[in-house]
Amino acid sequence: MMPFKPVLLWTDLLIFLLFAGVAAFALYVRRHEHLAASWRRVVRDPAGMAALVVLVAYVAIGLMDSVHFRLPLANHGGETGRYYSAEVLSLLDVVASPLREHVEKTYSAPFATHLYAKEAIVLPDGRRIRGYPRLKYGGAQLAHPERERGPDILYTALAAAGKAALLWALLGYGLVQWLARRQRRSAAAVWAAMWRGGGEIPWRSLLATLGAILLLVFLAIGLGPKYHVLGTDKVGQDVFYQALKSIRTGLVIGTLTTLVMLPFALLLGIMAGYLRGWADDVIQYIYTTLNSIPSVLLIAAAVLIMQVYIESNPDLFDTVAARADIRLLFLCIILGVTSWTGLCRLLRGEALKLRELDYVQAAQAFGVGHWRIISRHILPNVMHIVLISVVMDFSGLVLAEAVLSYVGVGVDPSTQSWGNMINSARLEMAREPMVWWSLLAAFVFMFGLVLAANVFADVVRDAFDPHAEARRIPSAVLSRLFGRRPDGESHG
Amino acid sequence: MADGGHLLQVERLRTWLASGDAVVRAVDGVSFSLEQNQTFALLGESGCGKSMTALSLMRLLPENGRIVSGSVRLHGQDLTALPEVAMRGVRGRQIGMIFQEPMLSLNPVMPVGEQIAEVLHRHGPVEGRRAVRGRVAELLRAVGIPDAAHRFDAYPFQLSGGMKQRVMIAMSLAGKPDLLIADEPTTALDVTIQAQVLQLMRDLQAASGMSILLITHDLGVVAEMAHRVAVMYAGEIVELADRERFFGAPFHPYSRKLFAALPGWGKRTQKLEVIGGSVPSLTGTFRGCRFAPRCDLVWGLCHEAVPPWREVSPGQWARCHLTEGRRAAPAVAPAGLREAAPVPVAAAGEALLRVEDLRVHFPVHKGVFKRVAALVKAVDGVSLSIQRGRTLALVGESGCGKTTVAKGILQLIRPSGGRVYFAGTELTTLKRSTLRRRRGEFQFIFQDPYASLNPRMPIADIIEEGMVALGVGASKEERHRRIDDILAQVGLSAEARQRYPHEFSGGQRQRVAIARALAVGPKLIICDEPTSALDVSVQAQILNLLKRLQDELGLTYLFITHNLSVVEYLAHDVAVMYLGRIVEQGSAPEVLGRPAHPYTRALLSAVPVIERAAGRPVMRLQGDPPSPLAPPPGCHFHPRCPEALPICSGTEPPLVQISPTHGTRCHLHGPGIS
């Protein structure tokens, strides 16, 4: 008998499928030189690689949060069989169980030891006073929080930093040894090259970003169980935990929406451009019409219909998580259905151009069929546009989720998401004294993801855009190549 | 060569470009000087550093380029040492420049007059709107733009290519420069327009006394324009001489190869001379002569020492180890005569392809309901026929409908009218599926080998695609065997199979395109300007290959081109097209030797030639070809025809047979007149 019951939510399934798809694509790229060459340009870019490390950290948390299961309930009084808790947990919940379980009464500020609001406290001697009660978990280990809190935070943080530095040094050492063996050079030479920032892969920026992330992880591990590092919300839940849980929602929206949108955009866009004639007219009218309906209106209508459907069929979903999940999935689908028009338009234009190219005409002169021409000649030659627009759209979709949830047509209120956090912060900002940490936490986490995604998207676009052929060459490379910078040269 | 009196003196100029992690020595020690009122031609194939030299003079190098050493003295002042601010005064004011693509060098959202006025404001002391307009009109008149006063407010899209190039010239003349750099000024233009622009440049030079640095790959243009000629190869000048001496007795083996590679009437029975190999990579240094690996006359010293720059005869300098004695005795025999393949005699009724009254009209839609508002008559009643094993050249300027004829014949565009008989079958009424099965018998070779191969497919897949579609070769193994055979036939090794198009040069890509067409066993191949994107020496290779394939496989070609020397070399029959109609048609000696239609005569006389035959009538066409949207009534050519009769503007001329094989559509040969 298994000690737990695995639960496969719809979005989990799709996320793992997507992950497998990305892995398969990576294998395909390795075998195709013209694709590999472009990706090599991405790999060589220091900013791009730093952004990629940050993205990988986010994705790792998101994937951990996508492994769901239900724990068994303890058997009471000789019941036979196993009963599972109605609460669906994820791997992340288990790893971060101190965060999940340390629920206070209500608001508390980051690193606080007392509640944020005054309450009536019963003293041991029976007197009643109004004051700030101690928190149940935040800084509970301290006898004299006023004196001990500062040093305790400092020592814990230093210890965490020490551990992070140790692990980082170990990883760095392993990397240098591995590279030295692979390149058949001395470890010292490899280290020197890495430190100067030369070489094919920007190891220096990779290691630096990794170091920063390790530091953050160890700080969280060290301080998380002792304090509420980002405070608690109205019902006393740890805000840091909420922000972590929101990562999966953001990633799901950013990636699955694309998955929904791609078939529409690819099929319709290429068909319109390649076939021309009435097919083109029909498709153009469809997306022009769709584009002229305000998308928030469309999304709101669809979400409301969905909500009614879920509520009138409660027996379809056995847990709250499954309900929230289906709503998340439908939000992705609706966002996808309303957002394919931009890419479709781009692809139509590109297909219009490609169909007049000589190699397509040559294929037609051989009597090659339309589908074969589309799949062998048109599709591979528009893939760079698809890739660029998918990566660029990702951050926009993450932000869109926040906006939609704020408006109230986003994810289920029980789903942790940055949008929901911001939505609740709307009231908190109006309180006196102000509760600012929910908003800040959502902002910082979202900012990290979106910034990394944007930087990465820029690098991908530069690498794949055929118009960026005359690439800017860094002046450092120029001066290295030419030895010196001649006088009187103003450009460069 | 040092002397104070030169207008421009370039000494040991080196310009390097960063490319990835390597340095390309694009210009590697170029020295020359230019006198007042002189035209100096820099001649060479693509990638030899001509344009980089010009950009270095203007200090307009791309960001990854640097002048690493050398000097450029204009009136004795070293331009490489000037600060950028002072350089801006030099550009336009002292050195003007015109570029290859007039379509890309004008701002499309600004009236041309204002673009010229901008230059005037920058450099001239012209004050007041009226004065500026007057000066612009004067400039436009000087470059031969009719109705100059009203062209001030015209936008570039309202002007034809030739007109735009004239505007560009007017713009570069606005600052009254002492030196005009013309980088392939006529390469993008048609021959008749090219002749106009070249004449204009000569006239302007005579009037203003400016010097011209002409950059070109066309020996004919050099012969018509230049006083002195420098030949560039792999970043350096290999020969420098006066025009007479250069065209009389080119010294350097590379120069001589360039001449030998030119196709023409006299070489019909021979293979064209080709230059083996390719231009060496310019990323390294050279131990010996850069041309040594491709040179027929190479000897020991060529590989060991860099040849000195020496005066080989008075007024002729070259960078070559060859002495007079060695030069006289060629190391290899000259290219042999072509296998004596007699021109197959045209027998009546043996036509492989017969086109009757082919019409291709494109509707112009307007309004919400896409009503047909007008018809572009791209092809308007073309009839022609080709006998088995012969080559018909279809000649005409761009936009006259040559390519549309080809696509109409191949049924890539369904014709609006007329019939196409291929080996007795009428193609225009065939069903899609029947037509598809027969597509292997007629194939197409495109103009641009860079656009005709899918960059995402390896060569084997590209060639195999047509075979699979047409069911050539029963199994994969059989197809692959055939691909290997055909690659060998077009002169590519079997290793090419797994490589991608970007790994090949232009000439090699064109060979792949030919192999792709051959793989399905065609009888007729339509070649649409297959060599116009290639250098002369590579063009020679492709022409040789096409001729050899015709001899070996008995192929029939419909050869579409605007290059008359290629026609002279390759064609058995010629058809001349003007604005959707064929104006003259006949065997090659008849049409090229005794042209009947004024347009054919104008076309022939517009081609720049190396030896100007005495008494060759010079006939310059005025104006541009009209738009096929609104062709002139009667004979389409009459508005530009110097010999037009009153009847020409009213009645379309009928076909007049001058001989059984030679016909023309011109009233001059009509029964009542001749």
Side-chain angles (χ1 to χ4, degrees):
Chain A
M1 274 278 230
M2 268 197 284
F4 56 86
K5 180 178 173 187
V7 176
L8 195 60
L9 299 175
W10 276 105
T11 49
D12 295 342
L13 181 71
L14 290 173
I15 280 188
F16 287 117
L17 276 181
L18 189 69
F19 198 70
V22 170
F25 179 67
L27 276 179
Y28 179 82
V29 165
R30 279 183 71 96
R31 286 191 290 117
H32 287 74
E33 180 49 35
H34 56 95
L35 292 171
S38 293
W39 278 109
R40 234 171 272 137
R41 280 205 286 272
V42 175
V43 171
R44 277 179 206 156
D45 191 286
M49 288 323 277
L52 188 65
V53 172
V54 176
L55 283 180
V56 165
Y58 271 98
V59 169
I61 295 174
L63 284 179
M64 255 163 68
D65 204 7
S66 297
V67 182
H68 286 104
F69 46 81
R70 286 160 72 180
L71 290 175
L73 290 172
N75 284 3
H76 296 292
E79 289 167 44
T80 52
R82 250 165 198 270
Y83 293 94
Y84 292 95
S85 154
E87 190 183 17
V88 177
L89 292 180
S90 73
L91 205 55
L92 181 72
D93 293 331
V94 174
V95 171
S97 51
L99 294 182
R100 183 169 57 92
E101 286 158 2
H102 291 185
V103 178
E104 306 291 347
K105 202 166 167 200
T106 180
Y107 292 118
S108 71
F111 292 110
T113 53
H114 293 80
L115 275 183
Y116 199 57
K118 274 188 180 170
E119 278 183 3
I121 311 169
V122 184
L123 290 181
D125 54 5
R127 277 186 302 138
R128 287 174 157 268
I129 56 158
R130 272 191 76 75
Y132 298 101
R134 274 294 295 270
L135 293 179
K136 235 192 291 175
Y137 302 99
Q141 76 282 17
L142 307 176
H144 303 283
E146 301 78 26
R147 266 184 289 126
E148 293 170 7
R149 191 179 70 143
D152 183 55
I153 291 174
L154 188 65
Y155 292 141
T156 318
L158 281 179
K163 284 181 207 158
L166 194 67
L167 182 59
W168 185 67
L170 272 174
L171 281 176
Y173 179 77
L175 178 69
V176 169
Q177 290 298 331
W178 178 68
L179 281 179
R181 185 150 344 134
R182 254 187 66 161
Q183 299 172 355
R184 296 171 201 288
R185 289 198 294 172
S186 75
V190 171
W191 174 248
M194 204 186 275
W195 189 247
R196 275 199 317 274
E200 285 284 272
I201 298 170
W203 291 115
R204 188 173 57 168
S205 59
L206 271 176
L207 275 181
T209 324
L210 186 69
I213 288 176
L214 281 179
L215 182 64
L216 288 176
V217 168
F218 275 93
L219 283 178
I221 292 173
L223 291 167
K226 292 185 179 174
Y227 296 95
H228 299 290
V229 287
L230 290 171
T232 54
D233 72 348
K234 191 173 179 184
V235 291
Q237 266 201 340
D238 192 288
V239 172
F240 178 53
Y241 172 68
Q242 287 182 339
L244 281 181
K245 291 286 284 180
S246 302
I247 289 175
R248 175 173 183 272
T249 314
L251 288 176
V252 165
I253 300 252
T255 53
L256 291 193
T257 304
T258 319
L259 212 61
V260 174
M261 171 191 91
L262 272 188
F264 285 100
L266 272 177
L267 198 71
L268 296 180
I270 291 179
M271 262 170 58
Y274 177 75
L275 296 176
R276 302 291 309 275
W278 62 266
D280 187 19
D281 288 348
V282 169
I283 293 167
Q284 271 194 77
Y285 280 122
I286 292 176
Y287 71 59
T288 326
T289 314
L290 206 59
N291 245 10
S292 40
I293 304 172
S295 56
V296 173
L297 209 69
L298 212 61
I299 293 167
V303 165
L304 292 178
I305 294 170
M306 185 61 207
Q307 221 166 326
V308 171
Y309 175 78
I310 291 173
E311 266 152 33
S312 53
N313 298 287
D315 46 324
L316 286 179
F317 313 101
D318 50 352
T319 55
V320 181
R323 265 181 61 163
D325 180 71
I326 210 76
R327 186 160 160 184
L328 177 62
L329 180 63
F330 265 81
L331 184 67
C332 291
I333 292 173
I334 294 156
L335 269 175
V337 168
T338 52
S339 67
W340 57 270
T341 51
L343 181 59
C344 181
R345 209 175 276 218
L346 267 180
L347 291 180
R348 173 180 173 266
E350 193 67 16
L352 271 179
K353 193 182 89 190
L354 288 175
R355 78 190 286 272
E356 298 300 327
L357 277 190
D358 290 347
Y359 58 81
V360 176
Q361 302 249 323
Q364 282 168 350
F366 284 119
V368 178
H370 288 322
W371 280 114
R372 235 180 133 70
I373 288 180
I374 287 181
S375 62
R376 285 173 61 110
H377 293 294
I378 309 266
L379 193 63
N381 284 296
V382 299
M383 275 328 268
H384 66 280
I385 297 183
V386 174
L387 187 75
I388 291 168
S389 95
V390 162
V391 185
M392 305 271 285
D393 280 354
F394 171 79
S395 53
L397 289 166
V398 173
L399 296 174
E401 184 276 326
V403 172
L404 289 174
S405 299
Y406 179 80
V407 175
V409 293
V411 294
D412 192 85
S414 70
T415 309
Q416 312 275 16
S417 86
W418 292 315
N420 282 340
M421 285 169 75
I422 294 169
N423 191 16
S424 56
R426 186 171 46 166
L427 298 173
E428 294 164 0
M429 298 293 282
R431 275 175 61 108
E432 185 58 41
M434 192 168 71
V435 173
W436 45 268
W437 44 88
S438 278
L439 191 70
L440 183 80
F443 171 75
V444 167
F445 272 75
M446 201 155 62
F447 178 75
L449 178 61
V450 170
L451 181 67
N454 277 344
V455 170
F456 188 65
D458 251 9
V459 174
V460 168
R461 199 204 41 216
D462 281 354
F464 280 85
D465 196 348
H467 302 297
E469 220 37 79
R471 220 164 293 284
R472 218 155 36 86
I473 297 180
S475 57
V477 177
L478 281 185
S479 54
R480 180 158 56 82
L481 287 179
F482 294 121
R484 72 192 169 86
R485 180 175 289 223
D487 300 322
E489 284 287 333
S490 69
H491 40 245
Chain B
M1 288 195 291
D3 166 3
H6 303 299
L7 169 72
L8 176 79
Q9 193 165 10
V10 179
E11 264 187 68
R12 285 190 288 281
L13 180 71
R14 282 167 199 276
T15 302
W16 291 1
L17 298 174
S19 155
D21 270 354
V23 167
V24 176
R25 295 155 193 245
V27 180
D28 203 8
V30 163
S31 306
F32 63 89
S33 60
L34 184 50
E35 318 291 334
Q36 200 78 287
N37 202 8
Q38 196 187 46
T39 300
F40 184 90
L42 265 184
L43 176 74
E45 296 184 286
S46 56
C48 67
K50 309 184 297 282
S51 291
M52 273 306 148
T53 308
L55 292 174
S56 304
L57 301 190
M58 292 287 265
R59 291 246 315 264
L60 286 174
L61 289 171
E63 205 185 338
N64 60 339
R66 288 274 188 285
I67 299 173
V68 289
S69 69
S71 66
V72 177
R73 284 179 200 286
L74 185 74
H75 293 306
Q77 185 185 31
D78 189 357
L79 299 184
T80 59
L82 280 185
E84 178 64 20
V85 180
M87 199 56 212
R88 250 187 274 160
V90 173
R91 293 185 199 124
R93 189 71 193 271
Q94 295 181 34
I95 309 180
M97 187 155 182
I98 49 179
F99 298 92
Q100 177 171 355
E101 274 292 345
M103 294 74 189
L104 302 179
S105 357
L106 289 172
N107 182 348
V109 295
M110 224 169 132
V112 292
E114 263 176 46
Q115 300 192 38
I116 299 173
E118 209 174 47
V119 184
L120 287 177
H121 285 303
R122 176 84 186 79
H123 296 295
V126 193
E127 295 292 330
R129 259 186 81 74
R130 223 167 229 295
V132 170
R133 279 191 91 98
R135 177 88 182 94
V136 169
E138 207 176 293
L139 280 165
L140 289 176
R141 216 173 354 255
V143 296
I145 290 183
D147 197 17
H150 295 103
R151 293 288 184 176
F152 187 95
D153 299 310
Y155 284 91
F157 75 91
Q158 293 168 313
L159 304 174
S160 66
M163 285 292 169
K164 278 186 222 163
Q165 195 60 296
R166 283 164 192 268
V167 170
M168 268 310 293
I169 294 175
M171 216 156 123
S172 48
L173 293 181
K176 295 205 178 104
D178 306 316
L179 170 65
L180 181 69
I181 299 179
D183 188 356
E184 305 265 7
T186 56
T187 307
L189 305 175
D190 282 317
V191 260
T192 57
I193 309 296
Q194 163 171 297
Q196 291 171 7
V197 170
L198 292 182
Q199 184 62 46
L200 170 71
M201 285 170 63
R202 275 195 297 265
D203 293 348
L204 289 171
Q205 186 174 38
S208 69
M210 66 176 174
S211 307
I212 298 177
L213 176 63
L214 178 72
I215 292 169
T216 183
H217 68 279
D218 190 332
L219 276 168
V221 171
V222 173
E224 295 219 335
M225 297 288 293
H227 300 108
R228 275 163 40 97
V229 184
V231 181
M232 272 193 91
Y233 181 77
E236 52 179 28
I237 292 181
V238 293
E239 178 162 0
L240 194 150
D242 298 336
R243 176 181 60 196
E244 285 73 24
R245 207 167 285 279
F246 178 72
F247 284 97
F251 183 88
H252 199 278
Y254 177 64
S255 316
R256 296 198 289 160
K257 280 280 194 184
L258 284 182
F259 280 99
L262 279 184
W265 190 255
K267 296 176 188 159
R268 272 177 82 86
T269 51
Q270 303 165 15
K271 255 188 184 152
L272 290 173
E273 192 91 40
V274 298
I275 309 180
S278 56
V279 180
S281 150
L282 298 179
T283 49
T285 49
F286 292 89
R287 250 183 82 217
C289 173
R290 292 169 189 215
F291 189 58
R294 305 173 73 187
C295 185
D296 291 341
L297 304 174
V298 66
W299 57 298
L301 191 56
C302 298
H303 291 297
E304 278 150 25
V306 174
W309 180 242
R310 63 194 174 92
E311 191 162 20
V312 290
S313 71
Q316 184 170 28
W317 298 69
R319 200 183 290 281
C320 185
H321 283 304
L322 292 180
T323 54
E324 227 20 78
R326 278 186 183 276
R327 212 164 72 89
V332 292
L337 290 182
R338 274 173 80 213
E339 300 82 78
V343 176
V345 183
E350 227 198 318
L352 177 69
L353 176 77
R354 201 167 83 246
V355 178
E356 280 176 11
D357 199 28
L358 184 76
R359 285 165 201 277
V360 181
H361 297 175
F362 296 109
V364 179
H365 297 287
K366 266 201 180 139
V368 185
F369 297 104
K370 306 276 172 81
R371 196 168 41 83
V372 177
L375 284 177
V376 177
K377 298 184 176 177
V379 177
D380 197 17
V382 162
S383 303
L384 47 86
S385 71
I386 316 176
Q387 272 86 32
R388 236 174 256 277
R390 285 171 74 92
T391 303
L392 171 71
L394 190 58
V395 185
E397 294 180 278
S398 59
C400 75
K402 306 183 297 277
T403 302
T404 316
V405 169
K407 290 185 177 166
I409 290 173
L410 292 177
Q411 308 299 310
L412 287 177
I413 301 173
R414 285 289 181 156
S416 323
R419 278 172 293 281
V420 177
Y421 294 100
F422 178 80
T425 320
E426 222 280 273
L427 296 182
T428 57
T429 53
L430 277 190
K431 276 203 309 238
R432 234 182 103 82
S433 51
T434 329
L435 180 65
R436 193 186 270 191
R437 276 200 298 281
R438 298 209 55 174
R439 281 205 177 276
E441 294 174 42
F442 37 94
Q443 272 306 310
F444 200 69
I445 295 171
F446 293 86
Q447 170 173 9
D448 184 358
Y450 292 87
S452 68
L453 305 178
N454 186 344
R456 314 265 183 213
M457 273 161 75
I459 301 304
D461 286 7
I462 289 176
I463 298 177
E464 199 181 354
E465 179 171 50
M467 301 170 72
V468 172
L470 292 166
V472 178
S475 64
K476 210 171 174 68
E477 290 71 44
E478 202 181 316
R479 284 199 296 272
H480 283 185
R481 248 195 325 277
R482 189 169 160 79
I483 291 173
D484 286 348
D485 290 349
I486 283 169
L487 282 177
Q489 209 167 12
V490 299
L492 289 173
S493 69
E495 287 107 63
R497 269 180 35 186
Q498 288 316 317
R499 286 157 65 193
Y500 285 89
H502 69 88
E503 297 171 59
F504 295 92
S505 68
Q508 287 171 320
R509 284 169 189 235
Q510 202 58 295
R511 286 171 193 269
V512 173
I514 293 173
R516 171 174 63 181
L518 283 182
V520 293
K523 295 185 183 126
L524 169 74
I525 297 187
I526 300 186
C527 309
D528 187 3
E529 311 242 15
T531 59
S532 68
L534 305 174
D535 277 321
V536 186
S537 64
V538 184
Q539 165 176 295
Q541 296 171 11
I542 298 296
L543 292 180
N544 281 343
L545 173 65
L546 287 173
K547 257 198 160 170
R548 201 189 77 217
L549 291 173
Q550 183 167 47
D551 294 342
E552 286 174 10
L553 307 173
L555 293 173
T556 307
Y557 291 137
L558 174 60
F559 203 92
I560 296 171
T561 184
H562 66 274
N563 186 338
L564 287 167
S565 57
V566 172
V567 176
E568 287 176 1
Y569 176 67
L570 208 61
H572 303 116
D573 302 297
V574 180
V576 182
M577 225 178 141
Y578 186 76
L579 214 63
R581 290 180 188 163
I582 287 182
V583 295
E584 183 165 1
Q585 187 165 14
S587 70
E590 285 171 331
V591 175
L592 300 174
R594 296 184 299 281
H597 198 281
Y599 178 64
T600 316
R601 294 209 294 276
L603 208 57
L604 286 173
S605 91
V607 179
V609 285
I610 293 166
E611 314 97 31
R612 202 162 304 158
R616 178 170 173 259
V618 178
M619 188 169 153
R620 292 275 180 261
L621 284 185
Q622 297 305 313
D624 301 303
S627 150
L629 192 60
C635 172
H636 285 173
F637 187 59
H638 83 262
R640 297 175 77 196
C641 183
E643 298 164 51
L645 305 169
I647 186 179
C648 296
S649 58
T651 327
E652 193 188 325
L655 181 67
V656 182
Q657 287 294 343
I658 296 167
S659 80
T661 50
H662 187 188
T664 181
R665 283 174 181 276
C666 182
H667 286 300
L668 292 172
H669 301 273
I673 293 125
S674 65

